[in-house]
């Protein structure tokens, strides 16, 4: 199977965990000619399976499922306890207890693998690491196309060596979690911009590339294709769609002048993630430890309580650098608009090239 067999347009809807990438969103994207993805992160294995069944009832087109790789437990509980103490005032303000930092970081990985092998889906992608070669070989044996998300050329080389079918190259502009294979606090802020990263990865591996990070318009899709990508993955662009499961406050914040910029922060989850700068990020980001998923588990109740109270200043407002370009269009219509913009950009590039040749 080739990447081009999965969708009519080189447009992939990013798997956004936490309920955003609902079955309705993925189905609408698939029906319009893109590749929709479900996000299995933070779901139980059965919850993932039920959502797959729901999506299959909505569309017969190819789709993907994204898995989180297991994470090592944090080795210093004292650091986590210090952050819990820092968040005590938030718990009082929102009248909700802090969550428990469960040391388990596997996200039901093995059970999800078993379901996806027994009842295969067209595509499976991986976040926060690269699976063992036998895992990827097992998916190949059942006809599932595999994608490993990478943030460096070395990670792309590891994915190629392990047997992945493609890599999803994530630039520093991307909203949500940075999908680094190793969470190194010393590397915070050192991510690579998407266009440069595509070129570096293109010269390092032979695999098809799906490019992601800050993409909101068809012209940007044309740019990453020209840089060497085979498809573009968009997350924030689909966040504002009515089919998205994002909280209405989150959707509104994308274009609200009050939230003027994004930053990478560990405040909400303990792993670097890009979101709209709000009070919680400003107050707690500088002190948040590198402890995922423990910090995520501690703050889950706070984030839910903030949403219930209508307080966007306490929510994790994940968004890419292009968030101000968000359009509140139905997902299928957005795919069609992006495809038309892509075609227009490619035609303009071809015309410019012809003009240059004729002038010379």
């Amino acid at each position: 199977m080739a990447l081009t067999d999965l969708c009519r347009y080189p447009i992939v809807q990013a798997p956004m965990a936490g309920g955003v990438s609902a079955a309705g969103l993925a189905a609408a994207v698939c029906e319009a000619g893109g590749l929709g993805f479900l996000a299995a992160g933070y779901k139980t294995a059965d919850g993932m399976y039920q959502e797959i069944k729901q999506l299959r009832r909505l569309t017969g087109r190819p789709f993907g499922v994204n898995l989180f790789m297991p994470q090592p437990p944090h080795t210093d509980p004292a650091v986590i306890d210090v952050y819990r103490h820092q968040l005590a005032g938030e718990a009082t303000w929102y009248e909700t207890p802090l969550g428990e930092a469960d040391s388990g970081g596997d996200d039901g990985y093995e059970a999800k693998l078993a379901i996806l092998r027994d009842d295969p889906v067209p595509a499976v992608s991986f976040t926060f690491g690269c699976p063992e070669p036998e895992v990827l070989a097992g998916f190949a044996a059942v006809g599932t196309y595999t994608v490993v998300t990478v943030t460096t050329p070395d990670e792309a080389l590891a994915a190629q060596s392990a047997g992945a079918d493609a890599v999803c190259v994530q630039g520093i502009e991307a909203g949500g979690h940075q999908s680094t294979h190793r969470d190194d606090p010393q590397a915070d802020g050192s991510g690579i911009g998407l266009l440069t990263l595509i070129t570096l990865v293109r010269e390092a591996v032979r695999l098809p590339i799906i490019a992601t990070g800050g993409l909101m318009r068809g012209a940007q899709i044309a740019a990453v294709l020209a840089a060497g990508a085979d498809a573009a993955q968009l997350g924030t662009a689909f966040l504002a769609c009515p089919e998205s499961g994002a909280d209405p406050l989150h959707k509104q914040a994308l274009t609200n002048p009050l939230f003027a910029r994004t930053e990478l922060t560990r405040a909400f989850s303990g792993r670097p993630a890009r979101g709209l700068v709000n009070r919680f990020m400003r107050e707690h980001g500088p002190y948040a430890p590198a402890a995922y998923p423990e910090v995520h588990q501690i703050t889950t109740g706070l984030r839910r309580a903030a949403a219930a109270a209508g307080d966007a200043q306490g929510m994790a407002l994940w968004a890419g650098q292009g968030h101000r370009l968000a359009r509140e269009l139905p997902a299928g219509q957005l795919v069609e608009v992006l495809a038309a913009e892509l075609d227009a950009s490619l035609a303009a590039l071809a015309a410019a090239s012809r003009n240059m040749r004729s002038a010379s």
Side-chain angles (χ1 to χ4, degrees), residues 48-305:
M48 176 196 75
Y49 185 54
Q50 296 304 320
E51 195 163 48
I52 290 171
K53 290 199 296 184
Q54 181 184 359
L55 178 54
R56 282 174 168 152
R57 288 193 292 268
L58 295 173
T59 182
R61 298 183 183 274
F63 63 90
V65 174
N66 176 258
L67 300 180
F68 284 174
M69 292 295 297
Q71 300 298 295
H74 197 269
T75 56
D76 188 358
V79 172
I80 298 171
D81 288 341
V82 169
Y83 195 56
R84 284 185 65 92
H85 180 73
Q86 160 128 12
L87 296 177
E90 300 284 351
T92 300
W93 177 257
Y94 289 114
E95 299 181 337
T96 190
L98 298 174
E100 294 301 320
D102 181 3
S103 61
D106 70 349
D107 200 48
Y109 179 71
E110 292 296 339
K112 291 171 183 175
L113 287 180
I115 289 172
L116 293 170
R117 283 192 298 258
D118 290 343
D119 191 0
V121 299
V124 171
S125 67
F126 299 86
T127 294
F128 300 150
C130 181
E132 295 296 321
E134 53 268 27
V135 171
L136 296 172
F139 279 121
V142 296
T144 295
Y145 192 87
T146 53
V147 182
V148 174
T149 311
V150 302
T151 61
T152 67
D154 285 343
E155 291 175 354
L157 283 166
Q160 178 172 270
S161 297
D165 291 313
V167 287
C168 180
V169 173
Q170 184 194 47
I172 192 70
E173 305 93 334
H177 285 97
Q178 291 287 294
S179 188
T180 52
H181 291 191
R182 177 173 172 267
D183 185 13
D184 179 7
Q186 299 301 315
D188 281 5
S190 64
I192 305 171
L194 181 58
L195 288 177
T196 299
L197 186 57
I198 293 169
T199 306
L200 291 169
V201 172
R202 181 76 289 155
E203 295 191 3
V205 302
R206 302 177 304 276
L207 298 177
I209 290 174
I210 301 170
T212 190
L215 306 178
M216 304 290 289
R217 295 288 190 266
Q220 292 174 294
I221 298 174
V224 298
L225 296 181
D230 298 272
Q233 178 173 284
L234 294 77
T236 306
F238 286 104
L239 193 68
C241 294
E243 299 93 339
S244 155
D247 188 281
L249 287 173
H250 192 168
K251 295 182 181 184
Q252 294 162 13
L254 294 175
T255 52
N256 186 337
L258 184 64
F259 302 99
R261 60 189 176 88
T262 65
E263 282 185 6
L264 289 169
T265 185
R266 294 180 180 270
F268 297 101
S269 73
R271 232 183 188 276
R274 183 175 297 282
L276 300 172
V277 176
N278 61 4
R279 178 195 60 79
F280 195 102
M281 188 188 295
R282 288 192 298 267
E283 292 183 3
H284 303 294
Y287 313 102
Y292 175 90
E294 289 86 355
V295 171
H296 166 80
Q297 293 157 348
I298 290 170
T299 66
T300 296
L302 294 178
R303 289 178 277 122
R304 288 175 178 166

Side-chain angles (χ1 to χ4, degrees), residues 14-35:
M16 295 170 280
V20 178
S21 296
L25 175 62
V29 170
C30 293
E31 287 294 303
L35 179 61

